[in-house]
Amino acid sequence: MTNHARSLTSAHDRLLHYVGGAFHESESDGWIASVNPSDETDIVGYVPEGTADDVRAAVKAASDALPRWRALPGPARAEHLTKWAEAIATRGEELAQQMAREVGKPIGESRGEVARCGMILRYYAGEAVREMGDVIPAQSPGALQFTLREPLGVVALITPWNFPLAIPLWKAAPALAFGNTVVLKPAEASSRMAVLLAETAEKAGLPAGVFNVLLGAGPVVAEPLLREPAVRAVSFTGSGAVGKLVAAIAVDRNIRFQTEMGGKNVAIVLHDADLRQAAVLTAAGAMRYAGQKCTATSRVVVDARVEDAFMNELRRELDALPIGPVTDAATALGPVISARSRDSIHRALRESNAEVVYQGRIPTDDAYACGFFVAPTVVRGVGPDAAIAQQELFGPVLASFAADDLAHALALANGTLYGLSASLFTRDLRSALTYIPQIEAGLVRVNGDTTGVDPHAPFGGIKGSSSGSREQGSAAREFYTEIKTVQVNP
């Protein structure tokens, strides 16, 4: 991402805000280049830095649309979400190709993400027609007492680049299903995808102002957005440092917030595990999409009795993972998002003084010369408190540790500030039942990789990974609605 003056951009390349049901150019004089991670000479679009006026316009549009949208019956809101799913499906291949181009996600995973968007929207279309309260016995004779679940109002959504359609939708879909209106602030690196998402919302006939996209630099527009009096909640996914700032502003304003802030996810491989299965899933969890998932496997803890055998299996699986152009359907591992990310990962590896037990090779032909590629790497020989074992690198790097037994493995696994996702590989039911209550993670797997979650299942972490609330599934209703208790007396 590079700053460019307005004079360096053409009108065709400038990305527009989507506010009040129409696309608008920013008042900003500054522009940020969104660059293809596979080819830094390819500028996907120019993102406006944004202004306070842009923020106010987006929040006003959402506020103006709120009374009519929240008054719509649930089945009517459900119909809008279903039409949005259909609009996305109509442009599915185009969206996948553009995703591969803007954020470097391999086309196979990009297609999967687009398909997931339809699942998300249809799921919340169903949620919009479910019961929205309970009848409660009253102490007063003849009285009727019940609860209603009502929308919060205008909701700010701040989303990362790595799932440029799915994360905005798994926040926006429940917010809209339950009667809120939305201002989405995407990461600068995925702004083009957010604009395309807005185009599908417009095509689906979503009422003006219900869904708004506010582009811009985080420091310029995100804080003013959160401080707008009409904004009653914020859902954030991103780094821990920014998440803490989001939470501080929300607490200061006494508005609802949820923050998802990454992880240092672990796979535990016990001596009785199916080592082939463990290697296949650990390799995929660590390296696909260049490790750029908040649930990616970044640590593996292996019973010392099978460490060498597991490493041999893991090397074979890593060798089999295709590194290639993101437009190739066979590619599993493409570039990281930026030169800054690539350089940060390389620096962390150099400074770790770790033993490199595996390192893949990036092809040297012209197709890779201008991309931000990082070779898949496995290291060991560092202490559990080392930076490379504690800090989220967001790249294709796996740190390996040996454990004496399950108790030792759990101590190593739990020894980070994060608590998002974990997996245990074992054939022993007793070990699995010991691990499940003791592992400090919000997403817990047995004989599965650490990545992903079903769209209808609650998603979130504990400790430094999350503010504690959950996204997706029935948990979304808890965040995007508030309870009103009503008593009617004769």
Side-chain angles (χ1 to χ4, degrees):
M1 305 294 290
T2 308
N3 285 326
H4 288 259
R6 181 184 291 267
S7 61
L8 296 182
T9 71
S10 70
H12 176 74
D13 294 327
R14 297 174 190 166
L15 300 179
L16 306 177
H17 304 298
Y18 182 69
V19 173
F23 289 93
H24 300 276
E25 187 151 345
S26 174
E27 296 298 322
S28 174
D29 290 325
W31 299 84
I32 307 164
S34 180
V35 175
N36 180 346
S38 295
D39 179 4
E40 63 181 323
T41 67
D42 176 26
I43 306 299
V44 177
Y46 289 93
V47 184
E49 287 186 348
T51 68
D53 287 341
D54 295 331
V55 173
R56 284 189 287 268
V59 174
K60 183 178 187 305
S63 299
D64 291 347
L66 179 63
R68 183 173 294 182
W69 179 251
R70 71 181 294 167
L72 275 184
R77 294 197 297 269
E79 184 65 22
H80 281 293
L81 296 182
T82 300
K83 289 180 178 178
W84 198 358
E86 293 167 354
I88 288 173
T90 299
R91 296 179 64 178
E93 183 60 20
E94 176 197 358
L95 292 171
Q97 293 288 343
Q98 289 298 323
M99 188 184 303
R101 180 187 176 207
E102 185 170 45
V103 302
K105 177 169 284 192
I107 190 63
E109 290 204 36
S110 294
R111 289 170 178 151
E113 181 171 340
V114 173
R116 182 186 178 100
C117 291
M119 296 170 63
I120 292 168
L121 286 162
R122 288 188 172 89
Y123 173 81
Y124 285 109
E127 288 293 288
V129 299
R130 292 187 182 275
E131 67 281 355
M132 292 294 285
D134 299 290
V135 176
I136 305 167
Q139 288 186 337
S140 302
L144 173 64
Q145 186 165 239
F146 57 94
T147 61
L148 296 173
R149 283 198 171 271
E150 297 189 337
L152 302 174
V154 177
V155 176
L157 310 179
I158 302 176
T159 58
W161 51 264
N162 59 330
F163 286 84
L165 293 182
I167 292 181
L169 279 179
W170 84 42
K171 296 177 186 291
L176 298 178
F178 302 135
N180 304 279
T181 56
V182 162
V183 177
L184 168 66
K185 193 307 185 177
E188 297 93 309
S190 58
S191 294
R192 174 63 175 152
M193 292 308 303
V195 170
L196 292 174
L197 185 61
E199 289 179 4
T200 63
E202 184 178 54
K203 181 67 175 178
L206 210 64
V210 167
F211 176 76
N212 305 276
V213 175
L214 175 66
L215 305 178
V220 177
V221 300
E223 182 171 346
L225 173 62
L226 298 182
R227 294 196 181 279
E228 277 289 313
V231 171
R232 295 308 310 154
V234 55
S235 179
F236 166 87
T237 300
S239 72
V242 177
K244 290 175 182 178
L245 293 175
V246 168
I249 294 172
V251 169
D252 181 61
R253 291 198 54 230
N254 194 30
I255 64 174
R256 192 170 296 184
F257 68 95
Q258 62 181 187
T259 54
E260 293 297 337
M261 300 174 288
K264 196 66 180 174
N265 310 299
V266 66
I268 301 173
V269 182
L270 297 187
H271 72 280
D272 63 343
D274 179 334
L275 297 185
R276 167 79 173 168
Q277 178 194 50
V280 168
L281 295 177
T282 300
M287 304 303 175
R288 285 189 175 274
Y289 193 17
Q292 296 175 119
K293 302 174 183 178
C294 57
T295 53
T297 311
S298 59
R299 296 177 298 146
V300 61
V301 177
V302 188
D303 189 301
R305 288 169 286 183
V306 295
E307 183 181 17
D308 290 342
F310 172 75
M311 280 298 170
N312 289 335
E313 293 283 353
L314 183 63
R315 289 186 188 97
R316 279 193 285 270
E317 292 308 316
L318 293 172
D319 284 339
L321 283 179
I323 301 172
V326 293
T327 52
D328 185 336
T331 294
L333 197 156
V336 295
I337 189 63
S338 66
R340 179 180 179 182
S341 178
R342 176 197 61 199
D343 296 345
S344 175
I345 295 165
H346 286 159
R347 182 168 58 253
L349 285 169
R350 286 195 307 271
E351 293 174 354
S352 71
N353 294 317
E355 176 192 357
V356 175
V357 295
Y358 177 89
Q359 190 162 61
R361 292 187 177 182
I362 303 300
T364 57
D365 54 284
D366 290 345
Y368 302 89
C370 296
F372 309 128
F373 291 90
V374 174
T377 304
V378 181
V379 301
R380 67 181 176 190
V382 298
D385 296 328
I388 201 167
Q390 294 289 330
Q391 296 173 6
E392 187 178 40
L393 297 183
F394 230 55
V397 177
L398 179 66
S400 176
F401 303 88
D404 300 328
D405 52 24
L406 178 57
H408 186 202
L410 284 167
L412 290 169
N414 290 334
T416 77
L417 296 176
Y418 293 107
L420 182 55
S421 185
S423 182
L424 173 74
F425 293 94
T426 184
R427 292 187 176 99
D428 181 51
L429 180 60
R430 187 186 302 274
S431 295
L433 293 178
T434 299
Y435 149 84
I436 290 170
Q438 292 189 33
I439 191 69
E440 295 174 354
L443 302 172
V444 177
R445 304 283 171 78
V446 177
N447 297 326
D449 74 58
T450 62
T451 63
V453 66
D454 291 340
H456 51 277
F459 176 88
I462 63 174
K463 301 197 296 186
S465 289
S466 172
S467 56
S469 62
R470 291 292 180 265
E471 300 189 273
Q472 300 196 138
S474 59
R477 180 180 301 192
E478 298 296 323
F479 182 75
Y480 289 108
T481 65
E482 54 191 357
I483 295 175
K484 179 180 287 183
T485 301
V486 180
Q487 189 178 91
V488 180
N489 294 291

